[in-house]
Amino acid sequence: MKNGKYQIAIVGAGGIARWAHMPGWQKLPETEILAVADNNLETAQEFAGDFGVPHVFTDYRKIAEMDEVDIVDVCAPNAVHCPATVSALLSGKHVLCEKPLAIKTSEVVEMIEASQKSGKKLMCAQHQRFRRESRVVKNLIDDGVFGEIYFAQAQALRRRSVPARPTFIKKELSGGGPLLDIGVHILDLTYWFMGCPRVQSVKGVTFTKLAQREDVHGLWGEWDREAYDVEDFAAGFIRFTNGAAISLSCSFLANITIIEDFSTILYGTEAGLHWPNGKLATEKSGVLQDIELHLSEMPEVRPHTEEIRAFLEAVKEDKPVPVKPEESLEVIKMLEGIYQSAETGAEVNF
Ligand SMILES: NC(=O)c1ccc[n+]([C@@H]2O[C@H](COP(=O)([O-])OP(=O)(O)OC[C@H]3O[C@@H](n4cnc5c(N)ncnc54)[C@H](O)[C@@H]3O)[C@@H](O)[C@H]2O)c1
């Protein structure tokens, strides 16, 4: 704390830090951005200049040496999440870390252990949980409207949208392709809707069929075909110890007739729902009913800002973070399980 304000340090000054996290922190008057670390000095300096950040580093470990820093916000590529988070936690800082929390289960375990050892908070930035459409649906679920949700079909499918930066297409930085980048979003959301049961087993497949082809073009610009070494399509089937299951599919490049399908369909004993379009199907008084939830007419929120606000509240009031690291651990187990199963052809049991 300095000047009565929480001091924040950003690790990774790229896209998400600029367009989502900074607007969030700027909305919170009890915070100040004290430092930024990016291994690209020019990027870090430009960021510091644009947002008035006094301390600039190319090595995130320098942040660990700054006693005044209260919170580290990790916005670097996936492979950096674990080392940057552990360094921050063990030097006594709370950490908000972008999704996926890490690329391997063993890393998440290390991060949780560091958080427990230091007594500092750790939360994965799963902003989809903070969308208005998500909050409303979660309230309906908690009110029992759906009964028991026993199955969900989750998809994060894009027709031709590859994030062209190395952060997303080079395995050494990303750890994986669309499964880790966008699959993690819809899986985490669906899993949360279903009450976060324990994962029992996972089966999966991955493909790289379109991304290395010169005749396939992206709507978000071109990418380096030779550098692309992750999957472009992944699918998985996940069973939970409570008997429920999720079917997941995700892709950057798939021959589908729409531009994007980012949705989940919940199957409950009392009602079913398509998220985010808000169509609820049920049967009441002996008649089938379709109910339209006017989700888009709810007050608008910026989910990243709400996620940052909720994390800060947990820090200030010393209460559990809303996206629990143990939930993120289960999510990473599922994703890692899909990769493992895709490689061996066998089901992965936990
Ligand atoms: N929640 C969301 O909606 C969302 C959207 C985009 C990205 N993300 C996540 O945010 C993270 C970053 O994505 P992005 O789009 O900002 O990528 P980006 O490529 O635009 O930016 C990443 C930045 O991190 C820097 N960097 C790389 N290695 C570093 C290191 N060792 N230490 C410090 N900085 C380092 C790079 O120089 C770059 O400036 C990823 O984990 C991604 O999954 C989340």
Side-chain angles (χ1 to χ4, degrees):
M1 285 280 237
K2 210 170 106 187
N3 314 324
K5 295 188 179 196
Y6 287 89
Q7 301 298 310
I8 317 298
I10 309 274
V11 176
I16 193 75
R18 265 184 182 273
W19 64 257
H21 287 237
M22 281 310 296
W25 291 114
Q26 285 172 327
K27 278 259 155 40
L28 303 172
E30 64 274 57
T31 68
E32 249 169 29
I33 310 295
L34 185 67
V36 58
D38 193 295
N39 64 347
N40 182 325
L41 180 62
E42 224 173 279
T43 305
Q45 282 172 335
E46 209 178 311
F47 186 93
D50 290 348
F51 296 106
V53 184
H55 298 275
V56 175
F57 305 112
T58 49
D59 184 348
Y60 61 75
R61 285 170 298 191
K62 292 279 175 209
I63 287 171
E65 294 167 17
M66 295 185 79
D67 289 341
E68 317 91 283
V69 171
D70 303 292
I71 293 173
V72 174
D73 182 4
V74 179
C75 296
N78 302 344
V80 184
H81 290 185
C82 175
T85 295
V86 169
S87 154
L89 285 168
L90 293 181
S91 62
K93 291 124 180 51
H94 303 285
V95 176
L96 175 67
C97 177
E98 257 307 332
K99 42 55 62 172
L101 187 52
I103 59 184
K104 283 191 278 181
T105 304
S106 55
E107 289 184 336
V108 181
V109 169
E110 197 186 332
M111 292 156 94
I112 292 177
E113 281 172 1
S115 159
Q116 287 167 346
K117 196 168 164 196
S118 65
K120 297 294 165 183
K121 310 238 178 259
L122 166 66
M123 182 175 112
C124 184
Q126 296 288 174
H127 77 276
Q128 296 290 335
R129 294 195 193 190
F130 296 87
R131 284 173 62 166
R132 60 186 170 176
E133 298 91 340
S134 309
R135 306 312 292 186
V136 171
V137 167
K138 183 64 171 164
N139 287 343
L140 291 171
I141 292 169
D142 291 345
D143 286 347
V145 169
F146 296 90
E148 176 197 349
I149 300 174
Y150 51 90
F151 186 73
Q153 187 188 324
Q155 41 276 317
L157 296 165
R158 294 179 184 155
R159 187 168 184 168
R160 290 287 184 275
S161 306
V162 178
R165 302 190 290 292
T167 298
F168 301 95
I169 66 167
K170 278 178 77 90
K171 198 169 179 188
E172 61 172 353
L173 288 175
S174 67
L179 186 61
L180 285 190
D181 184 36
I182 49 179
V184 67
H185 275 308
I186 200 68
L187 179 62
D188 175 79
L189 183 71
T190 304
Y191 177 63
W192 179 60
F193 283 157
M194 293 173 85
C196 300
R198 280 189 79 81
V199 60
Q200 179 176 302
S201 66
V202 174
K203 236 181 148 174
V205 286
T206 60
F207 304 95
T208 311
K209 295 286 185 189
L210 306 184
Q212 289 159 345
R213 276 168 50 177
E214 295 293 342
D215 62 331
V216 170
H217 301 287
L219 295 172
W220 292 355
E222 294 302 316
W223 60 95
D224 182 343
R225 304 298 193 275
E226 274 176 30
Y228 194 105
D229 64 355
V230 293
E231 84 283 358
D232 61 25
F233 187 104
F237 190 84
I238 302 145
R239 286 172 186 274
F240 298 97
T241 52
N242 68 353
I246 294 177
S247 155
L248 169 74
S249 38
C250 34
S251 181
F252 288 152
L253 295 160
N255 284 321
I256 51 173
T257 55
I258 51 173
I259 293 298
E260 179 173 301
D261 180 0
F262 186 80
S263 65
T264 189
I265 303 170
L266 303 176
Y267 296 80
T269 50
E270 302 307 315
L273 176 92
H274 183 288
W275 179 97
N277 82 8
K279 294 248 165 63
L280 190 146
T282 187
E283 179 174 352
K284 288 236 165 22
S285 310
V287 63
L288 296 177
Q289 301 183 16
D290 297 341
I291 298 168
E292 184 138 9
L293 306 175
H294 289 251
L295 296 178
S296 59
E297 283 153 40
M298 307 287 299
E300 227 173 304
V301 297
R302 281 201 71 167
H304 291 281
T305 302
E306 293 315 304
E307 145 204 294
I308 289 169
R309 193 194 305 281
F311 177 69
L312 184 68
E313 236 175 72
V315 168
K316 276 162 61 179
E317 294 169 25
D318 193 18
K319 59 183 191 186
V321 291
V323 182
K324 307 207 173 28
E326 293 74 18
E327 296 165 2
S328 300
L329 174 65
E330 290 296 294
V331 169
I332 302 302
K333 267 163 78 175
M334 294 179 229
L335 298 174
E336 192 178 34
I338 290 175
Y339 284 126
Q340 267 174 19
S341 168
E343 219 174 287
T344 62
E347 190 167 30
V348 176
N349 290 291
F350 294 98

